[in-house]
Amino acid sequence: MEDIDAIAVLQDPVRRRLYEYVVAQGREVGRNEAAEATGVARTLAAHHLDKLTGAGLLESGSRRLSGRSGPGAGRPAKVYTRARGERSVSLPARDYRTAAELLAEAAEQAGLDAGLCAAARRRGEALRGSAGPCGDLEEALEALAARGYEPYREDAEGEAAGAVRMRNCPFHAVAESFPPLVCGMNLALLEGLFGTEGPLRARMDARPGECCVVVEASKNNGD
């Protein structure tokens, strides 16, 4: 399916709500849960979830949601997660990914990592403009959501402050080919956005399938 056709599937408002709910969970979601969360009937939710799967926007599988196995555990239920593929539409056609990869390759070969990070840090500072750094993690959630990072709050046991992690890396396509360069650039960008002397700090803490950076309260600062 062409990207434009896949994205057009989200035009239906119910379908879009279901897609956004599944994506926001960061885990497998069953039909009953998705239906209840979005306020639609289970049969309608199942129809739209399967449409999203057919369009390549979601992936489906099956497992026992009860967590039990063996006799009496019940039949496996269909579950959904966001598809790993990336979809984009540009009219007329543009190829920014190739340009970004070429620039990244040239920067890496020329050893321009420090210069790239300095530019990224300045861009992060420019993004917040005259406003000061975010004062707490709730403000950080809003700032990161506006940049497409799909942030979520992670409250660690025994830690009052917790942290903000991100399910999406906006630079994922290029980061796959040039991880040290692009991840370093991403960290510098967020350091510029949140500052290095304020109540929050960005640091590298990569997790599979997520952004390589975590934002947390600085030491000696509460949330």
Side-chain angles (χ1 to χ4, degrees), residues 141-153:
L141 283 168
E142 293 181 12
L144 292 166
R147 304 299 305 171
Y149 282 92
E150 296 182 6
Y152 66 97
R153 184 74 177 258

Side-chain angles (χ1 to χ4, degrees), residues 1-11 87-91:
M1 177 178 286
E2 295 290 335
D3 283 3
I4 192 169
D5 295 326
I7 293 173
V9 169
L10 294 171
Q11 184 175 358
R87 303 283 186 175
S88 63
V89 174
S90 177
L91 298 173

Side-chain angles (χ1 to χ4, degrees), residues 7-211:
I7 293 173
V9 169
L10 294 171
Q11 184 175 358
D12 183 282
V14 174
R15 201 171 294 157
R16 180 157 189 162
R17 288 206 311 274
L18 286 162
Y19 174 77
E20 290 174 344
Y21 178 78
V22 172
V23 167
Q25 306 317 301
R27 55 172 172 78
E28 294 177 328
V29 174
R31 289 171 167 174
N32 287 342
E33 178 187 346
E36 183 176 349
T38 55
V40 300
R42 183 185 183 280
T43 53
L44 182 60
H47 168 74
H48 285 306
L49 289 167
D50 286 340
K51 282 282 189 182
L52 290 164
T53 302
L57 296 171
L58 297 180
E59 293 178 355
S60 64
S62 61
R63 67 177 176 86
R64 288 186 172 90
L65 298 178
S66 65
R68 297 176 299 177
S69 60
R75 297 176 58 187
K78 200 164 188 178
V79 292
Y80 303 85
T81 57
R82 175 164 52 188
R84 288 182 285 270
E86 185 176 311
R87 303 283 186 175
S88 63
V89 174
S90 177
L91 298 173
R94 298 286 189 263
D95 188 5
Y96 299 114
R97 177 174 178 173
T98 296
E101 289 177 343
L102 288 171
L103 290 168
E105 182 179 356
E108 189 173 76
Q109 292 180 353
L112 299 178
D113 305 53
L116 176 62
C117 286
R121 198 169 287 108
R122 290 193 298 270
R123 176 57 64 90
E125 293 169 353
L127 287 173
R128 60 181 162 93
S130 59
C134 293
D136 56 33
L137 294 179
E138 292 305 315
E139 291 184 14
L141 283 168
E142 293 181 12
L144 292 166
R147 304 299 305 171
Y149 282 92
E150 296 182 6
Y152 66 97
R153 184 74 177 258
E154 181 182 70
D155 293 315
E157 186 176 349
E159 295 183 15
V164 171
R165 293 188 177 272
M166 295 155 265
R167 293 193 175 94
N168 182 51
C169 171
F171 317 110
H172 175 73
V174 186
E176 279 190 311
S177 300
F178 305 93
L181 182 77
V182 177
C183 290
M185 177 199 75
N186 186 32
L187 174 61
L189 178 73
L190 295 181
E191 285 176 340
L193 183 64
F194 295 113
T196 55
E197 303 296 332
L200 302 179
R201 67 161 183 162
R203 66 176 178 85
M204 199 76 75
D205 187 23
R207 281 186 178 181
E210 294 192 354
C211 177

